[in-house]
Amino acid sequence: MSEVSSTQEFQYSSPRHQAESAISGMWLFLATEMLFFGPLFLAWIYSRHWNQQGFDAGAQQTELIIGTVNTLVLVTSSLIYTLGVSFIEAGDSRKLIQCCVGAWLLGLVFLWLKFGVEWRHDFERRLFPASDFAIDDPHRDGALLFFVFYFLGTAVHGLHMIVGLILVGWIIFRARRKEFSAGFYTPVSVVGLYWSFVDMVWIVLYPLIYLIGRGA
Amino acid sequence: MSAVIADTTKHAKSYLTDGTTIRSWLLTTDHKRIALLYLGSITLFFFIGGIAAALIRYNLIAPRGMIGSAETYNRLFTMHGVVMVWFFLIPAVPVTLGNFLAPLMLGARDLAFPKLNLISWYLYILAGAAALYSLIAGGVDTGWTFYTPLTTAYSKGHVVATIVAIFIAGFSSIATGLNFIISIHTLRAPGMTWYKMPVFLWSLYATSVILVLATPVLGMTLLLLAFERIFHIGVFDPAIGGDPLLFQHLFWFYSHPAVYVMILPGFGVISEIVPAFSNKGLFGYKFVVWSSISIAVISFLVWGHHMFVAGTSLYSALVFSILSFMVAVPSAIKVFNWIGTMHGGSVRFDAPMLYALGFIGLFTLGGLTGLFVAALAADVHLTQTYFVVAHFHYVMVGGMVSAYFAGLHFWWPKITGRIYPEIWGRVGAVIIFFGFNLNFFPQFLLGYYGMPRR
Ligand SMILES: [Cu+2]
């Protein structure tokens, strides 16, 4: 008979079997996420192709410094989380918690900079695509389009961040109840995959928002 | 000894009687119970979509319409389309027969993620509630395809509520598809290699691949659409340099593969039933299996055939036309394999087999007329006519609904522990076959002579 542990569900033959299924499930989910963001990026690049000057005019209004700092914050957050995963592989639950808290706080910093500071500035400067839009002709139309993508893209990414923070918080909660060990840390790995994916999305958004067209 | 007796009495309880409270049903993670929850809910939506269909037909009796305005008529056929596509056809076989049978066929105790399975049902219910809200609040008049700029700028219906409904239903589909793929990969019984799997599982697998890879594209497309609808500025708006045709590309990138989500599980059901009632093994198992997979792959490459007259380039239209013709090859392989299975077998004409035979005939007709509309020159004449309506109803209703009923009859004793009255089963199958043809065959002719579809 196979070994039975309290975390093993009855349809699996072993904890390892269950772990493999959970991890491949997350990979497949991330594939669906890529296809979820895919049309946004495709439409973004396609629309830029036809409205280059407008998009450039829009990109020049974005806040490069906040964007860059946020990129660093997010990548660091993932790095720290991944360190946590390797700590729990070695059975160090205390260090895992520390890493998760660090990753969680950096995630919060990102959200605050993005929505608390940057979006507030954007709204104050009337960059939201509405009738009182700040950028005037001749590039008004293209810039409007740019900011549709900007707001939708960052909002959807932000939602994914919030989900990620909830998940990382859940890992902290479970780790504090001593549920993870060198023998069982599947949820930590699964959440780690998601948390890194959120980065990946940002890595595509960052040049689309801040870099392309800034020098034009 | 006493332990053994206790054990057998425990197993004497079926999944139906094991816990009879409402709570034990609503919080179940048992794949069989979830299948029944789904069966109940999609039946409800099947009736709602059916009522809309009946009202459409009723309205068509007189040239001026029997009920209300053209606006009402638009809302009727939109609701019919939305409900039937997303709340019946796409989930129908995977969430009922698939949920019930997949673990049994795999030799697993449940799907890989039972909780996710239950969540997918709740998402479906949530989506259904949003759809019902938009229906009761007055409906939508855009057609199930939500073309821009009609949807974003001119429609007066409850577009956003309907979009929310479809968006959520999409995540329900994704959860189901993901569960099947992982289950088939990791939960096969020891010794069950891929080529030893029942062929129904292969078709579920092909279906799930499409669900998982195409549905998210629709999700984002609907978000872009909703943004434009709400803020009156958006990426499909030509006034500011957006492109309405981009919507059609993205929409059909999902919705053409989704057509195969509606028919592939039906292929699987028929591939199980035909051998069972022919007293023979399935002819050409590997061909059937790989035709399912190749249909799933090619289905991602043909979306442009919905836009032949929308102003796409001639060269892209040529390529899409050729690729669309290619889908006919694996589909035909399947039909020949079913016929080959029956050939030389001792065929019994029980109710499931009657439905299956109806399926083969109607699907063949639906598939062949698909070639008419996939041909560039013919499509210019036939597009936007009743010919197209007849074509896809032959595939969707004649094909998929027949297959769904075939499967329900075939596995009904397994699901409920009771047998249905055979004679009424047969009568039903025959009535549906002839009734369907009576309704839809004339539409081929009407369309060919130029009657517009809306
Ligand atoms: Cu198509």
Side-chain angles (χ1 to χ4, degrees):
Chain A
M1 272 309 283
S2 59
E3 36 186 328
V4 176
S5 81
S6 59
T7 51
Q8 186 190 328
E9 291 188 47
F10 75 134
Q11 69 271 38
Y12 296 105
S13 60
S14 68
R16 192 169 154 211
H17 185 198
Q18 177 169 345
E20 277 170 2
S21 300
I23 287 173
S24 39
M26 187 40 118
W27 275 108
L28 188 57
F29 176 70
L30 295 183
T32 74
E33 286 280 71
M34 277 175 64
L35 280 148
F36 180 66
F37 282 99
L40 179 75
F41 297 149
L42 177 84
W44 193 318
I45 294 164
Y46 174 82
S47 303
R48 181 174 194 283
H49 176 79
W50 295 108
N51 305 279
Q52 231 177 59
Q53 288 166 331
F55 270 58
D56 292 350
Q60 282 155 15
Q61 299 300 318
T62 56
E63 308 209 14
L64 179 64
I65 295 174
I66 298 185
T68 311
V69 169
N70 255 346
T71 309
L72 293 174
V73 166
L74 204 55
V75 175
T76 315
S77 171
S78 264
L79 175 72
I80 296 177
Y81 189 94
T82 314
L83 282 177
V85 177
S86 54
F87 279 126
I88 194 66
E89 275 173 21
D92 192 338
S93 175
R94 209 171 59 87
K95 285 230 175 72
L96 167 70
I97 296 173
Q98 288 169 358
C99 285
C100 285
V101 170
W104 197 88
L105 288 175
L106 283 176
L108 207 61
V109 169
F110 177 95
L111 284 180
W112 172 69
L113 279 174
K114 179 81 235 167
F115 300 105
V117 180
E118 194 178 355
W119 264 33
R120 195 160 52 80
H121 288 183
D122 296 334
F123 277 106
E124 280 166 9
R125 292 163 59 213
R126 290 181 288 116
L127 290 174
F128 188 81
S131 50
D132 64 343
F133 190 61
I135 299 173
D136 284 328
D137 279 334
H139 298 315
R140 182 184 160 87
D141 290 348
L144 271 171
L145 213 48
F146 173 85
F147 276 99
V148 171
F149 283 113
Y150 168 82
F151 279 100
L152 198 66
T154 50
V156 176
H157 178 259
L159 276 178
H160 279 75
M161 288 287 298
I162 291 169
V163 171
L165 285 184
I166 293 170
L167 290 174
V168 175
W170 174 68
I171 293 295
I172 297 172
F173 175 76
R174 289 187 66 178
R176 283 173 57 104
R177 297 185 5 175
K178 304 253 180 305
E179 287 186 31
F180 302 128
S181 65
F184 174 72
Y185 55 86
T186 317
V188 187
S189 315
V190 169
V191 171
L193 287 175
Y194 179 84
W195 193 237
S196 299
F197 175 80
V198 178
D199 274 27
M200 296 301 212
V201 174
W202 180 254
I203 298 280
V204 181
L205 281 175
Y206 174 67
L208 282 176
I209 295 172
Y210 302 98
L211 301 184
I212 301 171
R214 178 164 289 272
Chain B
M1 190 62 204
S2 62
V4 173
I5 291 166
D7 207 31
T8 50
T9 49
K10 191 173 157 234
H11 282 276
K13 269 191 168 181
S14 86
Y15 77 100
L16 289 170
T17 50
D18 182 22
T20 48
T21 57
I22 292 179
R23 189 188 153 84
S24 76
W25 279 90
L26 292 183
L27 294 178
T28 182
T29 54
D30 180 355
H31 66 99
K32 300 195 200 84
R33 287 196 159 197
I34 294 172
L36 286 199
L37 290 176
Y38 260 125
L39 183 62
S41 22
I42 70 167
T43 306
L44 174 71
F45 280 98
F46 189 48
F47 275 105
I48 294 172
I51 290 168
L55 290 175
I56 290 172
R57 302 290 300 172
Y58 176 69
N59 197 41
L60 283 170
I61 289 176
R64 289 225 179 109
M66 303 288 284
I67 31 166
S69 56
E71 175 83 10
T72 317
Y73 180 69
N74 290 348
R75 286 172 194 241
L76 276 176
F77 73 64
T78 304
M79 220 48 208
H80 167 66
V82 167
V83 168
M84 283 303 198
V85 168
W86 280 289
F87 294 93
F88 178 72
L89 285 167
I90 287 184
V93 168
V95 299
T96 56
L97 298 173
N99 260 337
F100 196 93
L101 296 168
L104 303 182
M105 287 182 167
L106 285 166
R109 284 178 174 160
D110 207 315
L111 289 172
F113 310 114
K115 280 181 217 139
L116 185 67
N117 202 9
L118 182 64
I119 290 171
S120 89
W121 181 71
Y122 276 103
L123 286 174
Y124 176 87
I125 292 299
L126 197 65
L132 284 182
Y133 164 77
S134 83
L135 174 70
I136 291 163
V140 216
D141 57 353
T142 60
W144 75 280
T145 52
F146 298 105
Y147 273 17
T148 54
L150 170 65
T151 301
T152 45
Y154 300 107
S155 166
K156 291 190 204 73
H158 295 261
V159 174
V160 176
T162 315
I163 289 177
V164 167
I166 298 168
F167 187 81
I168 300 172
F171 282 97
S172 167
S173 300
I174 292 173
T176 304
L178 191 141
N179 222 337
F180 284 141
I181 292 181
I182 301 297
S183 303
I184 290 172
H185 271 279
T186 65
L187 291 182
R188 277 171 290 131
M192 184 187 276
T193 57
W194 282 83
Y195 283 134
K196 284 184 185 158
M197 287 198 314
V199 71
F200 180 65
L201 288 179
W202 274 100
S203 70
L204 266 191
Y205 189 83
T207 309
S208 304
V209 168
I210 300 176
L211 280 177
V212 160
L213 296 183
T215 318
V217 174
L218 177 75
M220 181 54 82
T221 309
L222 292 178
L223 267 189
L224 292 168
L225 196 65
F227 189 99
E228 183 161 341
R229 170 86 187 172
I230 295 167
F231 296 107
H232 306 292
I233 284 175
V235 304
F236 306 123
D237 180 2
I240 58 167
D243 189 348
L245 206 55
L246 181 62
F247 175 81
Q248 297 186 25
H249 277 290
L250 294 175
F251 181 83
W252 288 113
F253 182 82
Y254 161 81
S255 289
H256 188 84
V259 167
Y260 291 97
V261 167
M262 303 178 213
I263 195 73
L264 275 169
F267 290 158
V269 170
I270 301 304
S271 303
E272 294 287 347
I273 289 176
V274 170
F277 289 93
S278 305
N279 262 321
K280 261 179 83 194
L282 180 64
F283 179 78
Y285 172 90
K286 283 193 185 173
F287 277 92
V288 176
V289 160
W290 282 102
S291 59
S292 289
I293 301 295
S294 46
I295 287 174
V297 173
I298 303 174
S299 75
F300 278 98
L301 307 172
V302 300
W303 78 88
H305 64 210
H306 294 274
M307 297 147 67
F308 284 161
V309 295
T312 52
S313 93
L314 178 62
Y315 298 104
S316 89
L318 274 175
V319 173
F320 279 123
S321 174
I322 294 166
L323 285 165
S324 306
F325 272 91
M326 275 171 58
V327 188
V329 177
S331 310
I333 287 177
K334 280 181 187 289
V335 172
F336 288 126
N337 276 293
W338 295 324
I339 295 171
T341 307
M342 285 183 273
H343 179 75
S346 55
V347 181
R348 281 186 297 135
F349 295 100
D350 291 3
M353 188 61 171
L354 288 181
Y355 277 110
L357 291 173
F359 170 95
I360 295 174
L362 298 176
F363 170 73
T364 305
L365 207 55
L368 286 176
T369 49
L371 295 178
F372 290 44
V373 281
L376 287 179
D379 186 62
V380 173
H381 173 60
L382 295 174
T383 192
Q384 294 298 330
T385 70
Y386 256 87
F387 192 89
V388 179
V389 177
H391 154 65
F392 69 74
H393 280 89
Y394 263 78
V395 179
M396 306 284 82
V397 186
M400 187 56 180
V401 175
S402 291
Y404 174 66
F405 284 154
L408 269 189
H409 281 83
F410 187 50
W411 282 294
W412 191 255
K414 179 110 193 139
I415 294 172
T416 61
R418 295 147 177 263
I419 189 87
Y420 53 86
E422 177 61 36
I423 183 69
W424 289 114
R426 291 187 198 191
V427 168
V430 171
I431 290 180
I432 287 184
F433 180 81
F434 285 104
F436 176 83
N437 277 304
L438 215 56
N439 190 350
F440 288 98
F441 194 82
Q443 296 186 357
F444 279 128
L445 304 175
L446 290 173
Y448 185 77
Y449 291 125
M451 177 171 167
R453 63 185 284 196
R454 280 171 185 150

